[in-house]
Structure formats: C-alpha cells, structure tokens
Amino acid sequence: MIPSITKNYQNVVISTGNIINNEVGQRKSNEELYDGLKITLHSDPNAERVVVDIDELHGRVLCATQELNNKLTENGRNEISIGAKIFLNKSSKECVQQAVDALLNILNVTHVDNVVLAYHPNASASVASATSAATTPIKTPCSESPSGSSGNSGTSTISWGKLNGEKGLAELKLLYKTLEGYAAKHQINQLGVADLDATTLEALYKSAKVPPTIAQVNLSNCCVVPTDLQEFCRDHELVLNTHSDPELLLPEEQFAGLAPGYKIDWSLRYQVHVRCRGVLTAKGYIVGASKPVGLAKN
C-alpha cells in the first residue's frame, strides 16, 4: 500500500482510523501505533475488513475514514469531547501545524476540545519501551517511592528541565505558541503539556498568552507525583493526569520497516468520548512523515 503513494510525495500523512473495535485497541501506545500503521499500510487491499483510501491529491493514506466519520456523527458535536496528544521529538512549528491541521481535516471537525503537547527533543529509543497509553486521573501516591522517600525526591528520572535546558525550554515555548494560535481561533478549546517538572511548567505558564489547563505526568518509572508539581497545578487550577506513554513513541528503525525511505516527523493520538456517559467511542493515530530532501525524487 505505501509504495503506491510515496513515489511522488516527499511528505505523507497516515491515519489508522478508529482502532477501538479491532485487535489493535486498548494496548500499549507504541504497540497500538505500530500495529495500526502496519494494518493501514500493509494489509491486503482486497480484504473486506480493512478499508484503506489513497488520497493521491494530498499524499495521504487513510484507514476506515467512513467508519470513523460515522462514530463522530452518531452523537451531536456538543455531546462528544475530542482530545488529542501530539508527540514531537524535534523543534518544528511546521510539524505542530501539520498535526493540528490533519487532525481537524481527517476528523472533519471545526474544533477539538483539548490538545496536549509532549515535546522530548532528547528522547532515545531506549526510553521507547512503552507502557500503556491510558491517561487516568491522578491517584494517591504509592506507599513507597523508588528512592524510599516521598515528595519531590520520589522520582528517579532526570527532570525535563535538566535534560533539555534553556534551549529546550525556548523551543517548547515556540511550539506552544503555535498551538496558542489555534486556541485564539477557537479551534482548540484547552491546551496542555506533558512531562514537565514544576519549574519548567511555571516558566511556560508565565510566558503563555493562553495558559495550559492540563498537565500530564509520566509515572511509568515512578509512582509518586512530585509535591511541587501537585501544588503548582492545584494553585493554578490545572487538571493533573498521569500517563505511561514513552517519550519516543516509534523509533526510526521501526517506522522505516513500515515505510521505507521515510522518517517520522510527528504523531498524534486522538480520543473521542461521549460526554454524558464518559464512554470512549473512537481512538486512533495520525502520523506525518517525510523523505530526506535528497531522496524526494526517488
């Protein structure tokens, strides 16, 4: 499937469609993404259970778009909540724009309820051993932390700020500013960020025109939310959620096996809930990829 569309495109967008009702859904996030892409790109085009549309005009491979659209329209727009998380490992405002534009276009909506940005410029494949994609409300910390204490010392990992420094923070602010542009146009109702320590979150918060209202913290390596992060979110009325997504959602070598000659630029996961019941009715992934410039004509 992928060779038929990539011959003439430097940039492609790939959508897994709704993965809730197949064997891909409800697994670890990196497994969901990999298997969803594999089904989309390498399934038998004659198989009835897999409907893949090739959009030659825009360079897109879209899986089960009609089924996804049906799920999104079986309830009124005001009856569903659409949230998304963008996974980005390089500083590129264009990638943020491509991700949000693809999200709105493929879901065929004028706005989404929230978008969370996970920016990890120094992530490596070693941290992509992922854990589950579920995002859940914050829970009571474990009785014992990895270091044998609680509070701020309950984490055994290097903080986002120390790992990425002032350069990383400056890049994060620019990426976040791009999302603010969509919020100003009422295309995103709420903005959020993932995996920031309290100091970095405060710096971003103070510089933002549209302050984040959602903060996600990764507890895959630690079961205690730092006290200062809890206090900042409480004092500034941020919803604090936990998650277990890896910093690098899909290593380059894995993606290269699915789409030879292409490198993944960005990925996002969207989830659609029915508001009154809190039922998850749709979930899927969208990925943007490109050929290195020297390979664009190959």
Side-chain angles (χ1 to χ4, degrees):
M1 189 68 68
I2 191 70
S4 68
I5 193 169
T6 58
K7 291 179 181 178
N8 301 317
Y9 291 92
Q10 181 175 350
N11 300 285
V12 295
V13 172
I14 309 161
S15 169
T16 66
N18 183 16
I19 65 173
I20 287 291
N21 295 324
N22 61 33
E23 65 273 17
V24 175
Q26 307 304 319
R27 299 170 64 187
K28 297 176 182 179
S29 54
N30 62 328
E31 294 176 352
E32 288 182 338
L33 176 57
Y34 180 84
D35 290 343
L37 290 175
K38 186 176 181 180
I39 290 173
T40 302
L41 299 176
H42 296 282
S43 291
D44 182 351
N46 297 317
E48 294 184 0
R49 68 183 185 88
V50 180
V51 180
V52 177
D53 298 317
I54 307 298
D55 181 355
E56 293 280 1
L57 180 62
H58 300 100
R60 302 190 303 183
V61 183
L62 310 173
C63 184
T65 303
Q66 185 59 53
E67 190 274 340
L68 174 61
N69 184 259
N70 291 341
K71 279 293 182 182
L72 288 167
T73 56
E74 64 185 11
N75 295 283
R77 179 61 186 88
N78 63 333
E79 299 176 324
I80 60 174
S81 173
I82 303 174
K85 183 174 183 178
I86 298 174
F87 301 88
L88 192 62
N89 298 109
K90 66 178 182 179
S91 179
S92 170
K93 295 187 294 182
E94 291 76 15
C95 284
V96 174
Q97 293 170 342
Q98 291 170 12
V100 177
D101 290 345
L103 174 68
L104 295 172
N105 184 273
I106 292 173
L107 269 58
N108 194 27
V109 294
T110 58
H111 73 280
V112 293
D113 295 274
N114 63 76
V115 171
V116 173
L117 174 64
Y119 178 53
H120 291 286
N122 292 303
S124 63
S126 62
V127 295
S129 60
T131 44
S132 102
T135 300
T136 56
I138 184 170
K139 299 178 182 179
T140 304
C142 305
S143 57
E144 292 186 2
S145 67
S147 62
S149 59
S150 60
N152 291 334
S153 60
T155 177
S156 60
T157 57
I158 301 174
S159 71
W160 193 100
K162 289 183 178 179
L163 181 63
N164 299 292
E166 289 298 321
K167 180 176 181 292
L169 176 58
E171 293 170 349
L172 175 65
K173 288 180 178 179
L174 287 175
L175 298 173
Y176 187 86
K177 185 176 181 180
T178 304
L179 289 177
E180 288 182 312
Y182 288 92
K185 294 183 290 185
H186 306 290
Q187 292 176 298
I188 303 175
N189 292 344
Q190 291 182 295
L191 299 179
V193 286
D195 306 326
L196 303 186
D197 55 273
T199 301
T200 304
L201 179 59
E202 181 177 6
L204 177 67
Y205 190 95
K206 288 181 177 179
S207 68
K209 292 183 179 180
V210 183
T213 58
I214 302 168
Q216 289 187 1
V217 58
N218 192 327
L219 295 188
S220 61
N221 298 317
C222 164
C223 60
V224 178
V225 179
T227 303
D228 55 354
L229 182 60
Q230 293 189 54
E231 291 176 347
F232 182 86
C233 291
R234 181 192 63 213
D235 295 343
H236 295 82
E237 299 183 338
L238 274 75
V239 176
L240 181 57
N241 293 330
T242 64
H243 76 92
S244 302
D245 296 316
E247 295 180 0
L248 184 61
L249 198 57
L250 193 63
E252 287 186 9
E253 59 271 18
Q254 281 191 301
F255 186 71
L258 296 171
Y262 279 79
K263 296 182 66 174
I264 194 165
D265 291 324
W266 54 266
S267 56
L268 70 81
R269 179 180 65 233
Y270 59 84
Q271 299 186 91
V272 182
H273 289 85
V274 179
R275 292 183 188 275
C276 63
R277 293 176 288 156
V279 175
L280 181 64
T281 186
K283 177 171 73 169
Y285 292 82
I286 305 173
V287 167
S290 63
K291 289 182 179 179
V293 176
L295 300 177
K297 296 182 180 181
N298 294 344

